[in-house]
Amino acid sequence: MGRRQPPNEEVVVKVDFPFPLDKATFMKLVLDLAKNLLLQKSQIPLQYEALAKEVELDAIHTADESEANSDEEGEEYPSKLSVREKMKQTRARKNKAQLVKHGRKLVDDLKNLENVIDSELAYDGVNSINFVFGATAHTGREIYSVEVPDGIHSIPDYSSSSR
């Protein structure tokens, strides 16, 4: 019989920056934290940048592949080794296709997350951003909370203005 374990102690890590954070820098920090947490919690198999690169390379590869189709050799009686090699290649293509499919969804989801955080930070009432890990959002096992710095809404964002 499984006993319910008591919740772990709350760990607080306070980070003080020597300069005030603007909205763009804060958003980059939060998104990088989300990507890192996904990797640490084994929610993604590779680093986000590697997955994004695979998605980008697949888009380039499929464009090139449509232009030049490879000719396949027709063996009358294929050997065991050639059949195994073809099955191995087929399996590798399937795995890569699945990785790219899920990677594309991850890239889209993180862009969506960035847009949601950006729109929510436009309001003054946001105190923190929480990342919940568990079976569902209602049964979270771990919660990572990032407090929104005071005055982030009043600091002008110079990254979007042109000089």
Side-chain angles (χ1 to χ4, degrees):
M1 291 192 218
R3 283 194 222 163
R4 182 161 187 213
Q5 294 180 348
N8 294 338
E9 292 182 24
E10 181 177 343
V11 177
V12 177
V13 178
K14 184 153 176 67
V15 178
D16 291 324
F17 291 96
F19 53 88
L21 292 177
D22 62 343
K23 186 177 175 182
T25 305
F26 178 71
M27 284 194 43
K28 172 131 178 58
L29 288 172
V30 168
L31 290 173
D32 284 348
L33 174 66
K35 294 170 189 174
N36 191 10
L37 286 172
L38 287 172
L39 182 64
Q40 283 184 2
K41 299 298 169 191
S42 300
Q43 301 298 308
I44 56 177
L46 301 169
Q47 290 182 348
Y48 174 79
E49 287 75 20
L51 288 171
K53 188 171 183 168
E54 285 292 330
V55 169
E56 182 181 324
L57 289 175
D58 182 67
I60 294 169
H61 180 68
T62 54
D64 291 343
E65 193 176 271
S66 65
E67 292 175 6
N69 291 327
S70 61
D71 295 328
E72 298 207 13
E73 298 177 9
E75 293 183 32
E76 191 173 330
Y77 298 106
S79 67
K80 269 187 175 180
L81 291 176
S82 67
V83 170
R84 280 187 190 155
E85 189 61 34
K86 284 182 184 180
M87 288 178 64
K88 187 177 179 181
Q89 289 173 355
T90 302
R91 195 175 312 118
R93 276 196 303 270
K94 277 181 163 180
N95 288 342
K96 182 156 182 155
Q98 187 175 17
L99 177 74
V100 168
K101 176 185 168 190
H102 292 294
R104 193 173 291 122
K105 183 177 179 340
L106 176 68
V107 169
D108 293 342
D109 287 347
L110 280 174
K111 284 181 185 175
N112 186 31
L113 176 65
E114 181 178 9
N115 293 336
V116 167
I117 291 173
D118 188 33
S119 65
E120 289 296 323
L121 286 178
Y123 303 109
D124 235 0
V126 179
N127 295 330
S128 65
I129 298 171
N130 298 315
F131 298 105
V132 181
F133 288 91
T136 68
H138 299 290
T139 60
R141 292 274 196 200
E142 295 179 5
I143 300 173
Y144 295 87
S145 183
V146 179
E147 292 184 20
V148 177
D150 293 332
I152 199 167
H153 308 288
S154 61
I155 298 173
D157 188 8
Y158 295 110
S159 63
S160 62
S161 64
S162 61
R163 291 182 179 208

